Amino acid sequence: MESTIRESYDIVIGLEVHVQLKTNSKIFSGDTASYGSPANANTSVVTLAHPGTLPLLNKDVVSMGLKMALACHGQISSRQRFDRKNYFYPDLPKGYQITQDRDPMCRGGYLIVQTRNQLHRIALEKIHMEEDAGKSIHHEDGKGTSVDFNRAGTPLLEIVTKPVIRSAEEAAAFLMEIRKVVRYLAISDANMEEGSLRCDANVSIKPRGTAELGKKVEIKNLNSIRNLSHAIEWEVDRQIELTEAGHPILSETRTFDTALGKTFAMRTKEELNDYRYFPEPDLSPVIISDVWIEEVRQAMPSLPHDVFEKFVREYMLTTADALTLSETRETAGYFEQLCTLTPRFKAAANWMIGPVKSYLNDRGEDMDQFPISPDRLGALVDLVEQGQVSFSMAAQRIFPVMLLAPARQPKEIARELNLLQDNDNRSLERTVDEVIKEFPLKVEAYKNGKTGIVSMFMGEIMKRTQGRVDPKAASKMIEQKLSEK
Ligand code: ADP
Ligand code: MG
């Protein structure tokens, strides 16, 4: 599509995000809420909604909901209720879902979200608690459908944004921020593949700069961040093409086919159920005291965006470095500890983003599995910064030994491997660095194959040190430094 046509429209997106909470038991019964059990293993009579059974609210769900509400700056309802949302589906044992319709966990609030070069404040409509439904498994041979009720009654938080998101990129950034926040709060695994983080996207377009919102289309069950952005991009194009051709947009629910990369109509809004919401008579209202809110607030960790800002402000990191290091609570915590041990924040950040991160990536491990303590890594950072060993020796020779023997002191390893530079060596290194920095064009020429240029660098170093260096050591160091460039 021509970009001028695209630019004559505004894109409007509202997201409905479902987060599965990491509680031990389900929201209204003692059944285990964990993922991956054999089908129908976690299904007592309460989950199966046998007559005469009653729901009993799991307090942990409310505490987790309060954490999220506080993290999103929402106005917490002091008296919350549950409602029944009635519809029929084979994986819904009760024939209704218990959810919060009128008095949800909180209303309003926002999350700060970062795209490539901008901060966005995404306003929220509300956050509410509800139970999940079971799972229908449609057999591929067409021979029927099986139902697994393990998921029925597991606790969810639904986070609903206002229609304020302006692009697929911003929508993806919002979902990533939700994932980050709930993981920081340790209230969900937020794993899209396992379905503990799910997202519906409401998408509409309108002529650029006009106020009235267009008819929205809801795209259901987007199960990856990539699919979320692809579905939005495709849907926006579809809506613009229809509008340009003079056709109306129907309010409908669509599904995204990942293989074809297109959205398809599932049902129009007119066919939708009337859910006949009414208050759940088997549960009393939930009273949220200020004391409870305070208790939850006290137990909250710092949030990713605050950590990010702190890293930029206090440790003078670049935006990109601060984002990388605040990605998980474990990484951020490790880095902060490192910064209490060494004043060389930038060097510490480089070690984390360089050798540490590639080690973890190679092994598919997380920060909490990293064997070296901040204390030992800090000592290694300092060793390099004081010029006692070169960075490349530290990263290539000492770091691997530390990974296998995390209790050992880096300096001792350096001594054993004969990597400690004496004073002469250090001042030689400084001179080499100086010369390399002053002659960027010569460095460029070297990289393009003019290896003879080493002798020019040698001459320069001899001049500056009045010949007081070992020429062999000097030329070796020049070649090493140049090849690292
Ligand atoms: P419904 O009653 O159809 O569920 P809601 O008003 O509850 O609609 O909104 C559901 C979601 O759709 C919210 O995230 C909201 O921001 C979003 N939304 C509402 N109107 C629009 C629109 N015109 N374009 C895009 N998103 C919208
Ligand atoms: Mg709705």
Side-chain angles (χ1 to χ4, degrees), residues 12-16 125-126 159-164 200-205 213-218 269 272:
V12 177
I13 303 159
L15 295 182
E16 295 167 278
E125 189 68 49
K126 61 169 183 168
I159 301 134
V160 184
T161 77
K162 297 206 157 145
V164 292
D200 304 335
N202 299 272
V203 180
S204 67
I205 56 165
L213 297 184
K215 279 243 170 69
K216 78 172 150 79
V217 165
E218 181 172 5
K269 277 279 173 185
L272 255 190

Side-chain angles (χ1 to χ4, degrees), residues 98-109:
I98 305 181
T99 181
Q100 292 188 301
D101 183 44
R102 274 169 304 176
D103 299 302
M105 173 53 71
C106 71
R107 290 193 185 277

Side-chain angles (χ1 to χ4, degrees), residues 192-207:
M192 294 197 83
E193 272 154 42
E194 292 180 358
S196 52
L197 177 66
R198 284 169 274 169
C199 180
D200 304 335
N202 299 272
V203 180
S204 67
I205 56 165
K206 61 184 174 68

